[in-house]
Amino acid sequence: NSPVTHVPQDFQFAPCATTGPGNAFENGKSCTQNLGRIVAHDIVVADGEDQTLESFTANVFIGATGSGVNAAFVDVYVYADAGGAPGALVTSELGLIPVSQTVVGTNFGFDVWELVLDITDVALPGDTGSDTTYWIGLSVEATDASNLFWENSTAGLVGAGEAYDDGLGGGFIIDGTLEGVYNFEGDCVPILAVSDNLADLVNIYPNPATTIINIEVPTSVEITSIALYDVLGKNTGATLTNGTIDVSNLARGVYILNVKSTQGTLTQKVIKR
């Protein structure tokens, strides 16, 4: 068994979440996949931090009360911010099947389903000196292909409000009076201070990785050791062989890679898919 080694406190991960408040199932906005509609809400990465989005819940009006009609699948979109609205697409995960679906209320003749979504971890890099905003968009298909609505409310804004794309080609429209009902969950970590010179010398790829991580350095640099830690600070025991780390047997998630070399030490967050 590999020893348990605690990662230094300045790059310990900490759970973090953003929650949109409900208000007695007040209302909702159509996010029906077969109509091309997407609803998005913003998530803010705090100044001086990086964040990894790992899972979330969203309340959606789906199907007539008691009908059992719920979500067949969910398309998830992550956008960069562009002037207070969703901008460039960062990544998407299409056809995602909810981990669980539970009726949590009713209104307007609909059941309100809490959808629990376990997405492939998404890195949301932050910045030093200012907050960084991203947008999480959903498009949901019902098991009977009917129109459905992401629950929203006027109970209080968390960020910029609700972004709505009606699927007709006009892009997103922002309603600054509405907030969705959701809980975005992941991990946050302080941005690491790394020598610019060393960061320029070491090339770590791919990131995210599925089976291997490559570490390339020029001949002037010698790697003296590496360690790969999980989010609990446990050394995974991974080794470097011919410039490659085998991560095929590791669980998907976020890890901290520590590389020691003759030019100094570099610490970098890596994601295993």
Side-chain angles (χ1 to χ4, degrees), residues 100 142 170 184 221 236:
S100 67
F184 300 142
V221 177
T236 65

mmCIF file of all heavy atoms in Angstrom, residues 100 142 170 184 221 236:
data_model
loop_
_atom_site.group_PDB
_atom_site.id
_atom_site.type_symbol
_atom_site.label_atom_id
_atom_site.label_comp_id
_atom_site.label_asym_id
_atom_site.label_seq_id
_atom_site.Cartn_x
_atom_site.Cartn_y
_atom_site.Cartn_z
ATOM 1 N N SER A 100 -30.311 10.196 -10.645
ATOM 2 C CA SER A 100 -31.596 9.945 -9.992
ATOM 3 C C SER A 100 -32.564 11.062 -10.349
ATOM 4 O O SER A 100 -32.155 12.161 -10.742
ATOM 5 C CB SER A 100 -31.439 9.847 -8.471
ATOM 6 O OG SER A 100 -31.065 11.100 -7.915
ATOM 7 N N ALA A 142 -37.902 15.132 -22.361
ATOM 8 C CA ALA A 142 -38.813 14.324 -21.553
ATOM 9 C C ALA A 142 -39.014 12.950 -22.185
ATOM 10 O O ALA A 142 -38.817 12.760 -23.384
ATOM 11 C CB ALA A 142 -40.156 15.031 -21.408
ATOM 12 N N GLY A 170 -31.464 33.499 -32.275
ATOM 13 C CA GLY A 170 -31.185 34.839 -31.765
ATOM 14 C C GLY A 170 -30.199 34.884 -30.623
ATOM 15 O O GLY A 170 -29.845 35.975 -30.169
ATOM 16 N N PHE A 184 -24.967 23.664 -7.888
ATOM 17 C CA PHE A 184 -23.752 23.297 -8.602
ATOM 18 C C PHE A 184 -22.696 22.917 -7.571
ATOM 19 O O PHE A 184 -22.411 23.704 -6.667
ATOM 20 C CB PHE A 184 -23.231 24.455 -9.451
ATOM 21 C CG PHE A 184 -24.192 24.944 -10.500
ATOM 22 C CD1 PHE A 184 -24.305 26.301 -10.794
ATOM 23 C CD2 PHE A 184 -24.970 24.060 -11.219
ATOM 24 C CE1 PHE A 184 -25.168 26.760 -11.776
ATOM 25 C CE2 PHE A 184 -25.855 24.509 -12.200
ATOM 26 C CZ PHE A 184 -25.957 25.855 -12.466
ATOM 27 N N VAL A 221 16.821 19.948 -18.384
ATOM 28 C CA VAL A 221 16.079 19.742 -17.138
ATOM 29 C C VAL A 221 16.002 18.251 -16.835
ATOM 30 O O VAL A 221 15.665 17.451 -17.712
ATOM 31 C CB VAL A 221 14.656 20.328 -17.232
ATOM 32 C CG1 VAL A 221 13.871 20.036 -15.950
ATOM 33 C CG2 VAL A 221 14.701 21.815 -17.503
ATOM 34 N N THR A 236 -1.154 8.474 -4.795
ATOM 35 C CA THR A 236 -1.687 7.354 -5.565
ATOM 36 C C THR A 236 -0.647 6.295 -5.874
ATOM 37 O O THR A 236 -0.988 5.197 -6.319
ATOM 38 C CB THR A 236 -2.277 7.847 -6.899
ATOM 39 O OG1 THR A 236 -1.220 8.394 -7.703
ATOM 40 C CG2 THR A 236 -3.360 8.894 -6.659
#
